[in-house]
Amino acid sequence: MSAPAALRGRLGRALASLLLLGMLPAPVFAQTVDGPSASVQCQVCHGNFTFLEGKTPTPAQDSALLVTAAVVGESVHGFVGCVACHPGQAEGYPHEVPEVAVSCQGCHERVGSEYAESVHGYAVARGNPRAPTCASCHGAHDVLPSSDPRSRTYKGRLVAVCADCHGTPGLLTDRMVRLPQTVASYSRSVHGKANGRGVRDAAVCTDCHGVHDLRGYQDPESKINRMKVASTCGNCHGEIAAEYEESIHGRALEAGLSDSPTCIDCHGEHLILSPGDPEADTYAANLAVEVCAECHNDPAIIAKYGLQPEVVGSYEDSYHGWAVRAPGGRAATCVSCHSAHMVLPKGDPASTVNPANVAATCQGCHPNADLAFAESYDHYAASITNNPINRVIRTVYIVLIAVVIGGMVLHNLLIMNYYLVTSRNENLRAPGVVRFDRVQVIQHLVLALSFIVLVLTGFALRYQDAAWVRFLAALGLTEPARSTIHRFAGVLLILFSFWHVVWLLSSSRGKSAMRALLPRRKDLRDLVDNLRYHAFLSPRRARIGRYGYPAKVEYWSLVWGTALMALTGLVLWFPTIAVKLFPSWTIAASQTVHFYEAWLATLAILVWHFFFVIFHPDVYPMSWIWLTGRMPVEEIREHHTGWFEEEIGPTLGAAVREEPGQEEFGQEVEEREEPER
């Protein structure tokens, strides 16, 4: 549109507005009566956006300024004039946005008083700009009755209104206090799911918290105050609430004992799940530990009210406790015997565990049960601490286990020692070569010692609840001691690594070992041949050399793992220095790498290394190379065929010559030095 045309359009609309206003009597223009006639003037501007040309209103202003007759006409306030809610705005055009917010209390006095005393009203009074007002929940000009499905306060849509504040991640109060994200929990609950399916009787926010009179839970008048929760829930669950009020828990709460549980302590507040849901605290397998144990396993509660101790523990350690936690298991839980809501003490004649009633309670699962049967399954009979018979039996068995099993262990250790000594002597007597010299044996011992200490002290930090960690703690492995020993072992491993590198580069034996440990294409062929032979697919053994693929995989994994663990360990030891050299995410990444690399290394030692040096049928109960350094010629011929044929056999000749060997570790042995490459 050209500029003259646009100008003519604006002048035309302005003239039409003036003509319309000129047709209205002056008293009507200025009056503030409640009625549609007072709104005609407002519609001249607010019924369209022509008066905003040349301005850039925000989306929020658009919504507030554009008020069409159709929207207002459908609202509950369609019969009310604009000036009834916006007094003082009928004179002077264009007028500014009023500084005083619209007040609904002029017409809704009772509701306004309730709101003023609610938590929302208090927030408004404190000047919190985020506090919800009437329009936040009901809307502004499009207020519809709560019975209208289109209304924001319609029961099926009400949760979405509350979610504007209580479902928005990160929503803060004026004092930077993060509001609870309760709507997300509610939506997963039985109430939320029912509401989502359109069940009209499903509880929504206002059923529990109130409508305009929402109060904090500490307020005695609040519907969610601890003393009133049961009656609030009773609005829908009347029979259950009546049972609870007659129970020992309800009586105690009525007497002012706030430690006594109420509905939300067992079922939760917003995330109320069905007892058939495995995630529910009230699910059979979770009930004892997640619900009843909160009070009946609490030493302070037990001492304060003189409750019977160990009731949860004795149940957990019974057939019922074991079976109910088993997959698909079904067995009696706490509520099976004590009932769910009508929980009464044993001395109450109406109690399900009263001597006059307990047999009938047991008969719910055991038709032939009598009083004697019931007494055999109570908490006292199952208790180790309280029942002297059980206590004596346990003591006898602990002594018996220590004597019998301890004797068996000593017996078997004696036999194992015999075979170890025999195996060692055979290793020393058999003709062989020095596979590890004294330096290599010492290096291996240092590596093994530091690795074992690092594993134990490292995992002791991560798995502090494990039985073996608690045992070490009882022996004095407290956190200061653990961290010191762990760091010392780490430094020892790093120093060992430098020593090993120097040995590899400076000694003839180290250089020879390095050449033999380098990966070669033949290692892949040896892997295939070895697997085929042991799978009975080929009669030919792999011709493994001085160091085969098993040793090479382990050695280079050790090199990689040691470097990685040393680097990440130093980062975790000196984080303030590390963040000056590396990005800040390095600290968390190092912690993750350090932990999982430790697991990888530990499992590799257990599964791979121990198999070849302990559990392999040809070396069991143990290979002695790590102590004597010697490998018998027959073992070389059997497992290192390539090495034997290429080096050992030609050096020794047709038969192994027996010559006086060097003294190794204080013993005279017959051996040959491993040939240099």
Side-chain angles (χ1 to χ4, degrees):
M1 182 182 293
S2 63
L7 179 60
R8 286 196 300 271
R10 284 197 293 272
L11 289 174
R13 288 191 291 271
L15 180 59
S17 298
L18 290 173
L19 289 173
L20 179 60
L21 291 175
M23 295 170 60
L24 297 176
V28 174
F29 184 87
Q31 69 182 342
T32 58
V33 299
D34 289 343
S37 59
S39 302
V40 176
Q41 310 162 43
C42 305
Q43 282 294 301
V44 172
C45 294
H46 292 279
N48 60 77
F49 262 179
T50 57
F51 76 103
L52 287 176
E53 288 187 4
K55 301 180 181 180
T56 55
T58 65
Q61 288 174 326
D62 288 351
S63 174
L65 294 174
L66 181 61
V67 186
T68 65
V71 170
V72 176
E74 287 191 8
S75 75
V76 294
H77 296 144
F79 67 95
V80 180
C82 304
V83 292
C85 298
H86 303 280
Q89 298 300 304
E91 297 179 0
Y93 295 93
H95 47 228
E96 299 295 331
V97 176
E99 295 182 1
V100 179
V102 173
S103 173
C104 302
Q105 194 164 356
C107 297
H108 305 281
E109 184 176 358
R110 181 184 60 80
V111 171
S113 299
E114 291 179 353
Y115 170 81
E117 295 183 3
S118 71
V119 289
H120 294 156
Y122 291 158
V124 170
R126 290 197 304 269
N128 184 350
R130 301 177 181 85
T133 63
C134 305
S136 303
C137 301
H138 293 275
H141 300 96
D142 56 345
V143 180
L144 296 173
S146 58
S147 59
D148 190 325
R150 297 173 300 166
S151 172
R152 287 169 55 84
T153 57
Y154 182 69
K155 189 166 186 176
R157 300 182 62 191
L158 189 62
V159 175
V161 174
C162 299
D164 288 343
C165 294
H166 296 282
T168 304
L171 184 64
L172 308 175
T173 67
D174 56 333
R175 301 190 67 186
M176 302 302 288
V177 176
R178 192 180 298 276
L179 293 178
Q181 307 302 304
T182 51
V183 172
S185 299
Y186 168 83
S187 63
R188 292 176 51 202
S189 72
V190 290
H191 296 148
K193 291 178 180 178
N195 183 62
R197 294 194 304 269
V199 178
R200 290 188 57 84
D201 293 335
V204 296
C205 313
T206 54
D207 290 316
C208 301
H209 294 273
V211 181
H212 300 100
D213 56 341
L214 288 85
R215 297 172 181 263
Y217 72 94
Q218 292 180 327
D219 189 324
E221 299 301 318
S222 173
K223 296 179 67 174
I224 58 170
N225 180 271
R226 188 169 189 80
M227 299 298 178
K228 292 191 174 184
V229 166
S231 61
T232 298
C233 297
N235 291 330
C236 296
H237 307 281
E239 292 185 7
I240 293 176
E243 289 182 1
Y244 168 80
E245 290 172 359
E246 290 299 317
S247 73
I248 190 62
H249 296 150
R251 295 176 190 175
L253 195 63
E254 186 180 13
L257 303 178
S258 58
D259 291 325
S260 183
T262 187
C263 311
I264 57 175
D265 294 303
C266 301
H267 295 277
E269 296 176 344
H270 297 93
L271 186 57
I272 300 174
L273 301 176
S274 166
D277 189 328
E279 293 187 10
D281 288 347
T282 53
Y283 184 67
N286 307 329
L287 184 68
V289 173
E290 301 295 337
V291 176
C292 302
E294 287 294 317
C295 296
H296 292 277
N297 246 14
D298 186 336
I301 295 290
I302 292 172
K304 184 176 182 179
Y305 297 103
L307 303 178
Q308 181 180 342
E310 292 192 6
V311 291
V312 177
S314 62
Y315 168 79
E316 288 283 287
D317 200 28
S318 69
Y319 167 78
H320 293 151
W322 301 328
V324 79
R325 296 194 302 273
R330 296 182 61 187
T333 65
C334 307
V335 298
S336 302
C337 301
H338 296 276
S339 80
H341 302 98
M342 182 66 84
V343 181
L344 295 171
K346 186 176 181 178
D348 191 312
S351 171
T352 54
V353 293
N354 182 270
N357 306 321
V358 69
T361 299
C362 294
Q363 288 170 6
C365 296
H366 306 276
N368 298 322
D370 56 13
L371 183 59
F373 173 86
E375 290 177 346
S376 70
Y377 272 87
D378 68 7
H379 294 293
Y380 176 81
S383 172
I384 296 288
T385 303
N386 298 326
N387 188 335
I389 298 176
N390 281 353
R391 191 162 60 246
V392 170
I393 293 173
R394 181 184 65 171
T395 303
V396 170
Y397 265 97
I398 289 176
V399 174
L400 191 62
I401 289 170
V403 172
V404 173
I405 303 303
M408 291 178 176
V409 169
L410 292 175
H411 174 272
N412 294 348
L413 285 176
L414 184 63
I415 295 176
M416 178 62 74
N417 180 68
Y418 171 83
Y419 283 99
L420 285 173
V421 172
T422 302
S423 173
R424 176 179 178 275
N425 292 338
E426 290 176 354
N427 176 272
L428 293 175
R429 285 195 298 267
V433 299
V434 175
R435 185 166 175 82
F436 287 173
D437 64 6
R438 188 186 300 272
V439 172
Q440 288 173 288
V441 170
I442 294 175
Q443 286 182 350
H444 183 272
L445 288 173
V446 173
L447 171 64
L449 177 63
S450 60
F451 180 83
I452 292 172
V453 172
L454 283 169
V455 168
L456 291 176
T457 55
F459 286 150
L461 176 62
R462 192 64 177 260
Y463 301 107
Q464 297 183 29
D465 293 331
W468 64 271
V469 177
R470 293 198 299 269
F471 174 74
L472 291 178
L475 297 180
L477 191 69
T478 59
E479 176 53 27
R482 185 213 62 79
S483 60
T484 301
I485 294 172
H486 189 76
R487 292 184 173 96
F488 176 80
V491 171
L492 185 64
L493 180 63
I494 294 173
L495 294 177
F496 151 79
S497 301
F498 281 114
W499 176 28
H500 181 68
V501 171
V502 171
W503 176 80
L504 287 174
L505 299 177
S506 61
S507 69
S508 59
R509 193 175 189 86
K511 296 175 182 177
S512 174
M514 174 58 71
R515 289 193 297 270
L517 283 167
L518 291 175
R520 291 180 171 80
R521 185 181 303 174
K522 180 180 178 296
D523 295 323
L524 293 176
R525 188 168 64 251
D526 288 344
L527 170 62
V528 174
D529 290 344
N530 199 33
L531 294 177
R532 285 174 55 82
Y533 175 79
H534 287 94
F536 303 100
L537 298 176
S538 172
R540 189 178 63 140
R541 275 182 175 273
R543 298 181 66 259
I544 293 177
R546 177 181 175 187
Y547 294 110
Y549 71 86
K552 293 181 181 181
V553 166
E554 188 167 11
Y555 180 80
W556 291 110
S557 297
L558 172 66
V559 171
W560 162 260
T562 301
L564 200 59
M565 293 297 284
L567 177 60
T568 55
L570 289 172
V571 167
L572 297 175
W573 192 354
F574 305 104
T576 55
I577 298 176
V579 293
K580 293 181 174 63
L581 304 174
F582 308 107
S584 58
W585 54 261
T586 304
I587 305 299
S590 295
Q591 179 173 304
T592 304
V593 170
H594 204 74
F595 174 69
Y596 286 103
E597 182 65 27
W599 262 117
L600 179 62
T602 302
L603 292 174
I605 292 296
L606 295 175
V607 174
W608 190 263
H609 185 66
F610 281 5
F611 170 76
F612 286 104
V613 300
I614 296 177
F615 300 109
H616 195 290
D618 286 347
V619 300
Y620 188 82
M622 183 176 67
S623 172
W624 286 96
I625 296 175
W626 73 288
L627 285 177
T628 66
R630 299 178 72 256
M631 177 177 281
V633 172
E634 284 305 314
E635 185 176 340
I636 298 174
R637 191 199 308 270
E638 181 76 11
H639 296 288
H640 298 270
T641 308
W643 184 30
F644 179 83
E645 293 177 352
E646 295 172 7
E647 299 182 29
I648 303 301
T651 303
L652 295 177
V656 178
R657 296 187 301 274
E658 297 184 0
E659 299 176 358
Q662 62 182 9
E663 185 175 333
E664 191 77 357
F665 303 104
Q667 293 197 28
E668 217 35 61
V669 297
E670 294 180 349
E671 60 187 7
R672 277 192 182 276
E673 288 289 342
E674 177 184 346
E676 299 289 348
R677 286 198 154 199

